[in-house]
Amino acid sequence: MASSKHNKLCSFFYLCLFLTLVAAAEPQTESLLTLKSQLTDNFNSLKDWFINTPEVSDNLVACCSWSGVRCNQNSTSVVSVDLSSKNLAGSLSGKEFLVFTELLELNISDNSFSGEFPAEIFFNMTNLRSLDISRNNFSGRFPDGGDSSLKNLIFLDALSNSFSGPLPIHLSQLENLKVLNLAGSYFTGSIPSQYGSFKNLEFLHLGGNLLSGHIPQELGNLTTLTHMEIGYNSYEGVIPWEIGYMSELKYLDIAGANLSGFLPKHFSNLTKLESLFLFRNHLSREIPWELGEITSLVNLDLSDNHISGTIPESFSGLKNLRLLNLMFNEMSGTLPEVIAQLPSLDTLFIWNNYFSGSLPKSLGMNSKLRWVDVSTNSFQGEIPQGICSRGVLFKLILFSNNFTGTLSPSLSNCSTLVRIRLEDNSFSGVIPFSFSEIPDISYIDLSRNKLTGGIPLDISKATKLDYFNISNNPELGGKLPPHIWSAPSLQNFSASSCSISGGLPVFESCKSITVIELSNNNISGMLTPTVSTCGSLKKMDLSHNNLRGAIPSDKVFQSMGKHAYESNANLCGLPLKSCSAYSSRKLVSVLVACLVSILLMVVAALALYYIRQRSQGQWKMVSFAGLPHFTADDVLRSFGSPEPSEAVPASVSKAVLPTGITVIVRKIELHDKKKSVVLNVLTQMGNARHVNLVRLLGFCYNNHLVYVLYDNNLHTGTTLAEKMKTKKKDWQTKKRIITGVAKGLCFLHHECLPAIPHGDVKSSNILFDDDKIEPCLGEFGFKYMLHLNTDQMNDVIRVEKQKDVYNFGQLILEILTNGKLMNAGGLMIQNKPKDGLLREVYTENEVSSSDFKQGEVKRVVEVALLCIRSDQSDRPCMEDALRLLSEAENRFK
């Protein structure tokens, strides 16, 4: 009790002392002490803001020695207050600044001030030259200081706050203002036309707000402006050609601004322009030839628009150009030789266009190229031999083109490479890398080519390599390097379908590896428990190899599931079949073998008789995962008829099995010549398991008929055709359906060996569970299987896969138009202009021009149009279609 009373007395004493000192201090020191008392200073940044005794002189200002405070030479008046980056918070009343009539600079940036910004500052600080309130959380309307006395203000920075309402119009009356930064708030409305009347403005930044309307042509009057950023808003209309009058402009950024129209030719008057950023708009037509006259250009980014045509030859004059970014447009033609001649070029992005022809032979020889990305075009020919000749190339991205030839000598001496993606081309020859000579390489994708010669043996020396994909190079051959798993950073290693032989290297020092994909090779030998040292391993696929012996009981092996080990005939143990048969003693094996030999002779005689008697009616049963063990007789009896030949009169019907399970039954007639083909395909279909496929549970057959059993759960739900009758406009649901169908088809085409074409992709064959919106492909494989012969299997599969891609493209458009294209047969789409189709899709899905979803919807339509191209060779495979869909989704997240 006594202690509490003592503390109260002490607090009262210090308060009285503080008030006494404040009262005794001159006005400027008093105002700063008052300001300090109103702020939250958790880090004690203003710890030296105090006075010990009242000042003796009335002329001297006590606060001149405080941190962040600067006075005039006589210490009689404060001329600068800098409280930037001091972790201060709270609101400002404005009254504490009334006495600072001589203040020249006020900087309170990079703090956490909130509330409205006080208008008193605009009306009383007549000598203020610089005001910096950036990176705070001021809200409400920005003070309209048009009638204030801030006639001397030169610098005004309010970047990154939470101001709202219209832009302050009367700032344009500040004739001495050189820097105006109002970016990164929530200002609305149009840019005032009065902003074109600044007399001395050099820097204008209004980006990242909620501005709308047309960009005023009056901005062209800002002939002193050198830097203008007004992008990341949602304007209407076109770029005013009057901007071409801004003769001093060096930096222009109107990216992400919803602008349409085309590039003004008048930009050629901007003879001092160094950076032009107009990406992520809706600009169309060709790049004007006149743009090549801006010889001062260093950075040019026109990406993510609708620009068409070719790269102008006039770009030969852009000798200072370092960045050329034209990606995500609709440009065509070749990459001109003049681009390869540019002496300063270091970054070239032209991916996702329609460019063709060969890359210039001199590319990389005349400038220090650092980053090249020409992926997803139609380029052909070889990689230019001198692309690495200047010794600084660190990213080379060429995937999804038609490149051919070898990788050597072009890439033999690229010691600076960090990332290389050459997948989905037709490169041949050996992999030329010596990993000890490319020490910084971290990502390599050479999949889906025609490479040979095996994997380089020194891959373990790539100390920074975390991703390596060489899959689907069917003639690669060779063996896995012995120390491959010890590469210290390697996380993802994929080498499926590469004709690799030999055994699996010992798993040692493999703490970083998370994914190993080696399916569809000729790998032999046994699995060893040393994989337990791979603590990060999440996925391992060894399907379709020649592995033998028991799968180790280590939890890493057991967690991979059955799919990881399928089609290794001599491999056993969980999750595959038991190994008990393989562990029998030799003596028992010999005795059994002798007994079996005797029995076989007896059985053979009996079997010959039996076959002759009942060759027409002998039934066999094949079951897959998910179906309890039944005999053929159990299944046939469930059909409700004593005569097997009459059991299922219809081609498709239902049956209830002995345990009460209801299945869908499909009847297929067998012909002698096709029997083995049909049974093999059915077995492959039954082993295909994917979340977007209807499950085949099993089939029973004799010499003339097959009864195929598959999951009934989905057939109690709805089909996509039925869903589309509701005309729902939910983009997220549609996107999920399209992606799900693509994943199912991609699995059938690229993860099943041989591939299983669907054969009948249409909305009525896309099924849904009542409780889920994940689509499942039904009827896959049946239609094509009935027309299949062993002699022509590869040709039929290739043709049917192309049909699947075409039908998938039609399905996308059917989904996006809510079923309107169901009976159009594709002809309407082929003849409809792309712009018209996009408008129809936007309308049908209620996507406005300002909607962030518009870009994503557009990309999905473009994927559909690729899939329905009349020339089959121009269509993407399902793997590429899925990748393009994924890129569209990720890009617009």
Side-chain angles (χ1 to χ4, degrees), residues 673-735:
K673 293 182 179 180
K674 293 186 177 181
K675 178 181 176 181
S676 61
V677 174
V678 170
L679 295 181
N680 287 337
V681 174
L682 282 175
T683 302
Q684 187 190 10
M685 290 163 56
N687 288 321
R689 287 287 185 266
H690 192 275
V691 67
N692 297 113
L693 298 180
V694 175
R695 292 188 305 159
L696 262 69
L697 301 177
F699 62 90
C700 58
Y701 67 96
N702 66 4
N703 289 337
H704 299 290
L705 289 175
V706 180
Y707 294 137
V708 184
L709 317 177
Y710 51 97
D711 195 354
N712 179 57
N713 290 336
L714 289 162
H715 290 77
T716 62
T718 58
T719 66
L720 177 58
E722 293 168 333
K723 274 183 174 287
M724 285 191 293
K725 293 178 181 178
T726 63
K727 306 294 183 183
K728 288 186 177 180
K729 304 180 185 295
D730 179 9
W731 167 241
Q732 293 300 325
T733 299
K734 290 182 177 182
K735 181 172 65 175

Side-chain angles (χ1 to χ4, degrees), residues 274-339:
E274 297 176 358
S275 296
L276 178 59
F277 298 108
L278 299 175
F279 57 88
R280 204 174 302 162
N281 280 292
H282 306 289
L283 303 176
S284 57
R285 298 192 187 179
E286 298 184 352
I287 298 175
W289 184 92
E290 290 80 359
L291 201 65
E293 296 180 352
I294 312 177
T295 57
S296 55
L297 266 181
V298 175
N299 301 299
L300 177 60
D301 193 338
L302 306 177
S303 62
D304 200 0
N305 280 286
H306 307 295
I307 297 172
S308 56
T310 61
I311 299 175
E313 291 286 337
S314 62
F315 275 22
S316 60
L318 303 181
K319 304 298 184 183
N320 297 300
L321 194 67
R322 295 184 58 189
L323 166 68
L324 177 59
N325 190 351
L326 304 174
M327 68 182 189
F328 266 108
N329 275 290
E330 299 165 12
M331 300 186 70
S332 56
T334 62
L335 180 63
E337 179 66 30
V338 297
I339 300 300

Side-chain angles (χ1 to χ4, degrees), residues 102-117:
E102 301 299 318
L103 196 69
L104 300 177
E105 300 174 352
L106 176 59
N107 188 345
I108 58 174
S109 65
D110 194 20
N111 285 292
S112 300
F113 293 119
S114 56
E116 294 189 355
F117 185 73

Side-chain angles (χ1 to χ4, degrees), residues 585-597:
R585 296 180 179 179
K586 290 185 177 180
L587 179 60
V588 175
S589 299
V590 172
L591 293 175
V592 170
C594 294
L595 180 60
V596 168
S597 298

